[in-house]
Amino acid sequence: MEDIQADPSYAQPKDAWEDMKYNIDPTLDPSIKHLVEKILPLATYYLSIHSFVEQFSRYEYGTVNHALCAGIREFLKDHMIFVSQIENEFQTSTTFTLQRLWFYAQEYLQTLKIVNNLVTTIRSIQTVDVSKDEEDNIDAVIEDLQQQQEGAQDEIRISERQKGGSILNILAERLIGLSGDPKCNKIYTYLLSKASVPYFDILNSWIYRGEINDPYNEFMILEKKSVKKENLKEDYNDTYWETRYTIRQDYIPVFLEPIKDQILLAGKFLNVVRECGVEIANPEEMQNEILGHPVIGEARSNNPSNLLQQASHNYHNHIPSRGEVWTAVNGSGFVQNLEIAYKYANQKLLNLLMKEQQLLERLRSLKHYFFLDQSDFITSFLDLAKDELKQLASEIPQTRLQSLMDLVLRNPSSVAAYDPFKEDVKVAMSPLRLIDQLLRIISVSGLEAASNNPHLSTLLTTIHTTGFERPNQSLSSSFMSNGLGANISNTYESLTGYDALVLDYTVTFPLSLIISRKALTKYQLLFRHILNLKHVEELLCGAWMYQKYLLWKTRSSSSQIEQWKFRVFSLRNRMLTFVQQIAYYVTNEVLEPNWRRLEANLTNITTVDQVLQYHSDFLDSCLKECMLTNSKLLRIFNKLIGSCLAFTAQAEKYNDLLIVLEEGQAKDRYGVPIAGLNDTSHQLFDSSSKALSKIEESFLYHMKLLIDALNFYSAQETVQFLCLVIQLDYNQFYYHTSISKEQSRSSSRQR
């Protein structure tokens, strides 16, 4: 006993206070001894509670424990007053007896027993050095190591289960569980009201200013300082809005569980507003502003007011008797304050984004440049930069391309000349082809799951067995790996300007929350897809222009040449129809309807999270319906585009070959061929016919494969693909054409 009194802060092992024994004079009368044994727990309770207060009042245990200990000290103070009164009674009254002491001590014994049960529960919680959440969180580990380097390694770490919200949970659970005992109810209500004060101070600082003043790491919201708003413009995988501030589930007081999301959003909204340099009103001004100017859309069922009312309703119905806990922490007053703060923060950030930052106008500008809805500027740019874009991407000066783009955008005759955001458009060069970039983005796990389907496995196998498979091209090489440096470097050296051209867009905070680097990358993928279609269409139109010469229109005396010309005409027409139908589908049946849907949604928003969700869904839907998220469709489409490019590369040679063939058919007046008796022209014709047959077979084969795949995925993913199937095979040409017959006919020609 002397040792414990000398060092009350000494932390006793578990159950040490319950096992404490006192040596009583064995010569005492049994009745008196029994009475003493009933009074002695009062001393045990006092020492146990006093030791707890001394230990948990230290700074590392946090403000909630400090406030709890301050509340417990009131009971210890009452006990010491009681001891003083008893001592005075003992010294001044001749009628004071042990029975009278027991009569007076019963009330205080019951009080200290209730408090001792509480401190024993808290003390018995096993202490760990680092919480599980922190161990699983690499950012938290890094921050912890940085603190250790700064000299904080000697600091005592307290488990989250012994501070903050966990302490409030223990008090709330005991208040609910022992609510039938009036004395327990009164004591736990008092202690909960005292212990919750510093926690609600942190909470009010969060919902009113968007700041976390949590030096003891006990608040329910975690701030990751390593996640910065500047990363939004650089890092593709950065998720500032989702990860800058997150809820720590183990730290949430049970009575705040139903409104945790509103608490998180209220502070996040204000934090963004504060980082933009906008002055935040004090609580009284917030109340006047909200009550005087209701939030737009307040009458809707999903507005912030209704959300909070629903959260409050769920709170009271969450667990029986929770109203007592809610009353102890003045929950109704806090819900009212949270409602005002949430409305104000939401309205302030929405006004900042939609009005001051002109979010909708920015998105229209992005649509104009990246979706080419008014593409006069890109046509002029491609005409001016055609010489540069024919070169290798590594040899093209980007400053030259940027100068040409600025010249086009400032042209008074261009639609872009009247765009106030045209200065934010930049020209960049991608280090990867579009197909390679898309396949690196698609997850490998998704492909493996899809390839388990027998039909899809057949499709994938047939793609790899085609004649146009590039050497050293494998499935695994198309996906993201750690050693990309050399591959990207080699690919970039072989890219032309047309393959690598991409637009970029300068976005500042807070617009970068919505138009992040990840969102911009999706815009760029769609832009490159559309630009690729337009480029291939232009090349095919160029081949059509070659074939408008009189030489192609004049009937040849050779039936073989006429048949060859018909094959060239037919293949060019099918390829041009394919590219034009794909371009029409992408622009008119995917991008435009989804954009109209996004515009309609943005006119009815009530929270910033809805803006983020609608914009993300818009981009994801566009990518999915444009066949840019499915590796199978991507590979088939890439084969078809490769066939078109191979044909256009041969188009000019076909013109030269036709001249040679026609000259070979011309005869002099004696009936002797002018070109002589050599068979060079026949050899050229045979080799050209074989190459054309190979392109024909590949294009027809992959067209049928694409139509089959679209039919399959229209049932699995989106019915939008059926519209494309109808457009590609509107006269059922590919449906009725047999691949085997085409291949046998081509083989006979080659022989």
Side-chain angles (χ1 to χ4, degrees):
M1 291 292 296
E2 292 297 328
D3 292 341
I4 296 177
Q5 290 176 347
D7 186 11
S9 63
Y10 173 72
Q12 292 286 334
K14 184 178 181 180
D15 299 332
W17 297 105
E18 289 78 358
D19 296 339
M20 183 177 292
K21 295 181 180 180
Y22 297 91
N23 293 324
I24 303 175
D25 189 350
T27 61
L28 283 176
D29 183 84
S31 61
I32 298 178
K33 181 179 179 181
H34 178 67
L35 194 59
V36 170
E37 288 176 346
K38 292 195 296 183
I39 297 175
L40 281 177
L42 193 64
T44 303
Y45 297 154
Y46 174 80
L47 291 174
S48 172
I49 296 169
H50 187 269
S51 174
F52 173 86
V53 169
E54 291 297 320
Q55 177 183 351
F56 281 74
S57 293
R58 297 205 299 262
Y59 73 93
E60 64 265 16
Y61 283 90
T63 56
V64 173
N65 277 318
H66 297 167
L68 175 63
C69 291
I72 293 176
R73 282 194 181 97
E74 295 297 323
F75 295 105
L76 295 179
K77 181 180 178 181
D78 291 343
H79 175 73
M80 294 306 297
I81 293 174
F82 163 71
V83 171
S84 300
Q85 292 173 345
I86 291 298
E87 184 178 4
N88 180 68
E89 185 76 14
F90 171 72
Q91 293 178 353
T92 58
S93 175
T94 57
T95 61
F96 184 78
T97 62
L98 200 59
Q99 287 78 7
R100 179 174 292 187
L101 171 61
W102 168 243
F103 175 77
Y104 290 145
Q106 289 185 56
E107 180 180 357
Y108 292 95
L109 183 65
Q110 184 181 4
T111 299
L112 292 188
K113 181 179 181 180
I114 294 171
V115 177
N116 182 66
N117 289 338
L118 171 65
V119 301
T120 302
T121 301
I122 298 175
R123 188 189 286 120
S124 64
I125 297 175
Q126 184 178 1
T127 303
V128 294
D129 291 335
V130 183
S131 67
K132 183 179 184 300
D133 287 342
E134 292 178 343
E135 290 177 351
D136 296 339
N137 191 330
I138 185 62
D139 294 328
V141 173
I142 293 175
E143 290 183 8
D144 182 63
L145 293 175
Q146 290 176 347
Q147 291 178 358
Q148 291 183 9
Q149 291 178 355
E150 293 172 0
Q153 62 271 22
D154 296 332
E155 180 182 346
I156 300 175
R157 303 295 300 274
I158 305 300
S159 169
E160 77 278 0
R161 292 179 291 175
Q162 284 189 320
K163 62 181 181 180
S166 298
I167 299 297
L168 298 180
N169 283 337
I170 293 174
L171 290 169
E173 289 168 2
R174 296 183 77 85
L175 174 58
I176 294 172
L178 302 173
S179 59
D181 186 342
K183 194 168 190 64
C184 287
N185 189 296
K186 182 179 179 181
I187 292 174
Y188 286 126
T189 298
Y190 171 76
L191 291 178
L192 180 58
S193 64
K194 288 292 185 182
S196 62
V197 169
Y199 195 90
F200 276 84
D201 287 341
I202 303 174
L203 204 53
N204 288 329
S205 174
W206 170 247
I207 67 173
Y208 283 133
R209 294 190 295 275
E211 298 176 336
I212 296 180
N213 299 319
D214 184 23
Y216 301 101
N217 193 31
E218 52 189 343
F219 190 45
M220 60 184 284
I221 296 174
L222 173 66
E223 177 184 9
K224 294 182 181 178
K225 297 181 179 179
S226 59
V227 180
K228 302 178 181 178
K229 63 179 185 292
E230 290 77 15
N231 296 344
L232 287 166
K233 297 185 292 185
E234 302 171 1
D235 187 4
Y236 172 83
N237 293 315
D238 186 74
T239 52
Y240 177 88
W241 183 256
E242 291 82 6
T243 59
R244 170 71 172 179
Y245 295 101
T246 55
I247 294 178
R248 296 189 285 190
Q249 198 63 36
D250 295 337
Y251 288 65
I252 303 175
V254 65
F255 48 85
L256 295 179
E257 178 72 27
I259 55 176
K260 62 181 180 180
D261 294 328
Q262 285 73 28
I263 293 173
L264 174 66
L265 291 177
K268 284 172 67 173
F269 293 162
L270 281 183
N271 180 265
V272 173
V273 173
R274 181 171 54 83
E275 291 200 6
C276 293
V278 179
E279 184 178 356
I280 299 176
N282 57 45
E284 292 79 11
E285 293 174 346
M286 284 185 185
Q287 184 173 1
N288 295 334
E289 182 172 342
I290 293 301
L291 296 179
H293 304 282
V295 181
I296 298 174
E298 188 173 349
R300 299 187 183 96
S301 60
N302 60 343
N303 70 76
S305 177
N306 290 340
L307 290 174
L308 286 169
Q309 291 174 6
Q310 182 180 0
S312 178
H313 176 74
N314 293 339
Y315 167 82
H316 289 290
N317 297 319
H318 193 56
I319 293 179
S321 303
R322 178 157 298 195
E324 298 173 355
V325 178
W326 203 230
T327 302
V329 297
N330 190 23
S332 58
F334 174 73
V335 165
Q336 184 179 2
N337 294 337
L338 176 60
E339 180 178 351
I340 293 173
Y342 184 85
K343 279 185 176 182
Y344 174 83
N346 183 67
Q347 175 183 338
K348 205 75 174 176
L349 185 53
L350 273 181
N351 289 338
L352 179 66
L353 289 173
M354 304 302 293
K355 295 181 180 179
E356 296 183 24
Q357 298 292 329
Q358 299 177 299
L359 175 62
L360 197 54
E361 288 75 10
R362 284 278 184 177
L363 293 178
R364 289 194 182 104
S365 177
L366 283 169
K367 175 177 179 283
H368 173 67
Y369 294 114
F370 286 88
F371 294 171
L372 305 180
D373 60 342
Q374 296 174 337
S375 57
D376 63 327
F377 79 95
I378 198 68
T379 303
S380 302
F381 173 74
L382 294 177
D383 289 341
L384 291 176
K386 60 182 179 181
D387 294 333
E388 286 81 3
L389 294 176
K390 291 178 182 178
Q391 303 175 18
L392 293 177
S394 57
E395 299 176 358
I396 302 176
Q398 291 192 28
T399 53
R400 168 67 175 167
L401 294 180
Q402 186 63 48
S403 300
L404 293 175
M405 178 61 74
D406 293 340
L407 182 64
V408 169
L409 295 178
R410 291 182 175 86
N411 186 355
S413 63
S414 172
V415 178
Y418 304 99
D419 183 7
F421 310 116
K422 61 179 178 293
E423 301 294 336
D424 295 328
V425 179
K426 306 297 179 186
V427 178
M429 305 298 285
S430 173
L432 290 171
R433 288 185 174 85
L434 175 62
I435 180 67
D436 296 330
Q437 184 179 6
L438 286 167
L439 290 178
R440 290 179 191 275
I441 293 174
I442 297 174
S443 64
V444 178
S445 59
L447 276 177
E448 291 175 349
S451 61
N452 291 332
N453 188 297
H455 183 76
L456 296 183
S457 300
T458 304
L459 289 177
L460 183 60
T461 304
T462 53
I463 293 172
H464 284 292
T465 57
T466 59
F468 277 81
E469 184 75 33
R470 289 197 300 269
N472 302 324
Q473 179 77 16
S474 64
L475 180 65
S476 59
S477 66
S478 298
F479 297 98
M480 189 176 296
S481 60
N482 294 328
L484 296 179
N487 295 335
I488 291 178
S489 177
N490 295 334
T491 304
Y492 187 66
E493 291 178 358
S494 62
L495 284 179
T496 64
Y498 287 106
D499 295 328
L501 179 64
V502 65
L503 295 185
D504 204 354
Y505 200 84
T506 303
V507 184
T508 57
F509 190 82
L511 281 177
S512 54
L513 286 175
I514 312 297
I515 313 172
S516 62
R517 172 50 54 186
K518 185 174 184 178
L520 274 177
T521 302
K522 295 178 181 179
Y523 277 107
Q524 289 174 338
L525 293 173
L526 291 167
F527 167 79
R528 295 184 70 186
H529 184 51
I530 300 171
L531 182 64
N532 188 30
L533 291 172
K534 286 187 173 292
H535 176 56
V536 175
E537 181 182 3
E538 182 182 4
L539 293 177
L540 289 171
C541 289
W544 174 67
M545 293 298 295
Y546 277 123
Q547 295 164 12
K548 288 184 66 178
Y549 293 157
L550 182 61
L551 186 63
W552 287 87
K553 297 180 180 180
T554 304
R555 187 174 182 84
S556 175
S557 59
S558 172
S559 60
Q560 288 186 337
I561 296 178
E562 280 300 307
Q563 188 179 14
W564 175 78
K565 286 164 62 176
F566 174 78
R567 291 170 56 198
V568 172
F569 288 153
S570 176
L571 181 58
R572 184 257 306 154
N573 181 66
R574 279 183 283 152
M575 287 182 171
L576 188 58
T577 301
F578 160 73
V579 174
Q580 290 175 339
Q581 292 296 339
I582 291 287
Y584 176 86
Y585 166 78
V586 169
T587 54
N588 290 64
E589 297 192 10
V590 174
L591 298 182
E592 196 63 29
N594 280 292
W595 168 255
R596 295 301 177 192
R597 197 174 300 114
L598 174 65
E599 271 190 323
N601 289 333
L602 290 181
T603 57
N604 298 317
I605 55 171
T606 56
T607 66
V608 178
D609 271 355
Q610 289 178 341
V611 180
L612 288 165
Q613 189 62 46
Y614 287 146
H615 186 241
S616 177
D617 291 345
F618 161 71
L619 291 174
D620 291 341
S621 297
C622 290
L623 288 170
K624 181 179 181 180
E625 293 175 8
C626 288
M627 305 181 294
L628 300 184
T629 59
N630 189 302
S631 63
K632 311 297 188 303
L633 295 176
L634 272 175
R635 290 179 178 276
I636 300 172
F637 179 77
N638 187 51
K639 297 295 182 181
L640 289 167
I641 292 297
S643 298
C644 295
L645 292 174
F647 175 80
T648 57
Q650 298 292 327
E652 188 174 355
K653 298 178 181 179
Y654 291 156
N655 192 59
D656 296 336
L657 176 61
L658 184 59
I659 294 175
V660 173
L661 292 175
E662 290 297 336
E663 289 178 351
Q665 295 297 319
K667 299 179 180 180
D668 59 12
R669 59 181 180 175
Y670 302 105
V672 179
I674 298 176
L677 299 177
N678 61 75
D679 57 352
T680 304
S681 59
H682 295 288
Q683 294 177 354
L684 291 175
F685 178 76
D686 289 341
S687 61
S688 175
S689 181
K690 290 178 181 179
L692 181 62
S693 298
K694 190 175 182 181
I695 297 175
E696 283 180 317
E697 291 174 7
S698 176
F699 184 78
L700 177 62
Y701 178 71
H702 287 101
M703 275 298 298
K704 290 181 67 67
L705 200 61
L706 177 64
I707 292 172
D708 290 342
L710 289 174
N711 279 318
F712 175 80
Y713 284 114
S714 64
Q716 297 291 324
E717 296 185 4
T718 172
V719 295
Q720 190 72 22
F721 289 154
L722 287 178
C723 300
L724 183 57
V725 172
I726 295 173
Q727 293 173 8
L728 292 177
D729 198 18
Y730 62 93
N731 58 357
Q732 293 190 325
F733 170 80
Y734 298 104
Y735 177 78
H736 293 295
T737 303
S738 173
I739 296 179
S740 59
K741 292 181 180 179
E742 184 73 17
Q743 289 177 341
S744 61
R745 184 178 62 182
S746 176
S747 300
S748 63
R749 286 175 183 170
Q750 292 177 9
R751 287 194 298 268

